[in-house]
Amino acid sequence: MLPYSSLQEAETAIGRSLTTAETLWFKYSANKSDYVLYCHNIPLIFFLTTFLPLVYVVIEYLFPDYAASYKIQPKIKVSLYDNFKVYLGVMRTFILLVVPILLASHPSIQMIGIRTSLPLPSLMEIASQLLVYFLIEDYTNYWIHRFFHCKWMYENIHVVHHEFTAPTGFATQHAHWIEILVFGIPSFLGPSIAPGHMVTFLLWLALRQFEAVENHSGYDFPWTYKKLIPFSAGAEYHDYHHYVGEKSQSNFAPIFTYCDYLYGTDKGYRYRKKLLQLKDGSKSDVRLQNGGTYAYETGVKKE
């Protein structure tokens, strides 16, 4: 809760006039406790988990020809029933596991120093912190993901997430409850190391969820923002990881590609892609798992 009773008092305290964004934040948050503001992450995650995957389903059914041209594995169709079924499972885990943890974790947010007060951070501060969060998330997630591909961890825990060899947005959080817990750590590690404002924190959670859903969407649309980011992974990159499954030991990084490149866990992916580029006339957008072409032309048995 902001320690100011009026806009004038807030302006006096920070020594300048409030920006439009700060005025809106004051009016919205002045009478809300820090705990209530923090708990905004629950409806935020619920909304994005529900409606972001729905966008891809709507595109698939309303514009089938357009969607088919960018489907990474066009021969694999996930029915509405299967999408709904996996969504119910994801929501069950969210309600029974994630929500209680989020409700109880506010003291840790206070401890690391995420603030709700004025002034709001500048755009440069927000952008720099988000970059740090993405880099930390990507690096730690890469190693955790590799660990979950060890034989015992894969067969007993991570295999749940790999039930979909052709990913769908609704299956983004389809995973064993232990995996949900462990993979949540990198998302909070960045804000713990470089704490900022609650606005930045909520924006970070939204962007991370958006990125995860896109990775599992099953589509490589040309208008995705990841096309503009250097060394970005993207849906086609992560789709290959699901397509090959346990045998791949490849493409572990969720956001960027540099970890896989530096540690040599993308060699198979790059080799297969180069082969198909040569066969398809060096097209840069060739997809490795385009409805069986990859499976039958490279000798890898489709799972």
Side-chain angles (χ1 to χ4, degrees):
M1 185 177 294
L2 298 181
Y4 315 117
S5 58
S6 67
L7 287 171
Q8 291 73 22
E9 185 178 341
E11 289 177 338
T12 300
I14 66 175
R16 60 169 173 79
S17 298
L18 299 182
T19 65
T20 301
E22 289 170 336
T23 300
L24 292 174
W25 178 253
F26 176 88
K27 292 179 178 179
Y28 181 77
S29 65
N31 296 318
K32 294 180 177 66
S33 68
D34 289 355
Y35 180 69
V36 170
L37 293 173
Y38 168 69
C39 287
H40 280 49
N41 60 46
I42 295 174
L44 175 66
I45 295 173
F46 169 79
F47 178 84
L48 295 175
T49 301
T50 301
F51 291 101
L52 283 180
L54 190 60
V55 170
Y56 292 96
V57 173
V58 169
I59 293 175
E60 179 177 350
Y61 281 88
L62 293 185
F63 309 100
D65 293 337
Y66 173 77
S69 62
Y70 297 105
K71 189 80 164 65
I72 301 171
Q73 297 188 54
K75 288 189 176 181
I76 306 298
K77 302 293 184 182
V78 180
S79 67
L80 288 176
Y81 172 78
D82 287 336
N83 272 307
F84 183 66
K85 182 179 179 181
V86 73
Y87 171 73
L88 290 181
V90 168
M91 282 297 105
R92 181 175 62 248
T93 303
F94 178 71
I95 293 170
L96 298 179
L97 177 67
V98 178
V99 170
I101 291 175
L102 293 176
L103 289 173
S105 61
H106 183 248
S108 64
I109 297 299
Q110 290 179 307
M111 182 179 67
I112 64 179
I114 293 179
R115 63 184 181 87
T116 61
S117 59
L118 294 172
L120 291 179
S122 66
L123 291 178
M124 181 59 70
E125 181 181 345
I126 293 174
S128 60
Q129 287 183 321
L130 288 176
L131 177 59
V132 170
Y133 297 171
F134 273 114
L135 290 172
I136 293 173
E137 164 82 24
D138 189 64
Y139 189 79
T140 53
N141 192 302
Y142 170 84
W143 286 106
I144 292 174
H145 197 175
R146 283 192 68 172
F147 174 66
F148 270 81
H149 270 261
C150 296
K151 184 176 177 61
W152 189 93
M153 293 295 291
Y154 184 90
E155 292 178 351
N156 292 277
I157 297 176
H158 194 48
V159 67
V160 176
H161 185 62
H162 274 272
E163 287 176 359
F164 285 85
T165 55
T168 174
F170 282 114
T172 301
Q173 303 299 331
H174 175 63
H176 193 283
W177 67 269
I178 292 178
E179 180 170 341
I180 295 293
L181 286 178
V182 176
F183 275 91
I185 295 174
S187 295
F188 284 87
L189 188 58
S192 300
I193 295 174
H197 198 276
M198 185 64 70
V199 169
T200 307
F201 178 73
L202 294 175
L203 180 58
W204 156 242
L205 293 181
L207 290 174
R208 182 64 184 96
Q209 187 65 23
F210 189 97
E211 179 273 333
V213 170
E214 184 187 352
N215 273 1
H216 293 84
S217 67
Y219 290 94
D220 190 27
F221 289 121
W223 38 260
T224 173
Y225 73 97
K226 285 195 169 185
K227 300 290 186 181
L228 305 175
I229 301 176
F231 309 108
S232 178
E236 190 266 340
Y237 189 82
H238 189 70
D239 196 284
Y240 173 81
H241 175 82
H242 274 265
Y243 178 84
V244 184
E246 180 186 13
K247 296 180 294 184
S248 68
Q249 296 296 312
S250 177
N251 295 23
F252 294 111
I255 302 168
F256 303 109
T257 59
Y258 72 93
C259 279
D260 283 302
Y261 180 79
L262 290 176
Y263 299 114
T265 49
D266 68 343
K267 292 180 180 179
Y269 167 78
R270 288 188 287 116
Y271 174 73
R272 305 300 186 186
K273 191 165 187 174
K274 185 176 181 180
L275 282 181
L276 287 184
Q277 286 173 348
L278 292 174
K279 292 180 180 179
D280 285 14
S282 298
K283 295 179 181 179
S284 61
D285 62 345
V286 64
R287 298 179 180 88
L288 296 184
Q289 49 275 25
N290 51 356
T293 300
Y294 172 76
Y296 296 108
E297 289 190 7
T298 64
V300 177
K301 181 181 179 182
K302 185 178 182 304
E303 298 181 6

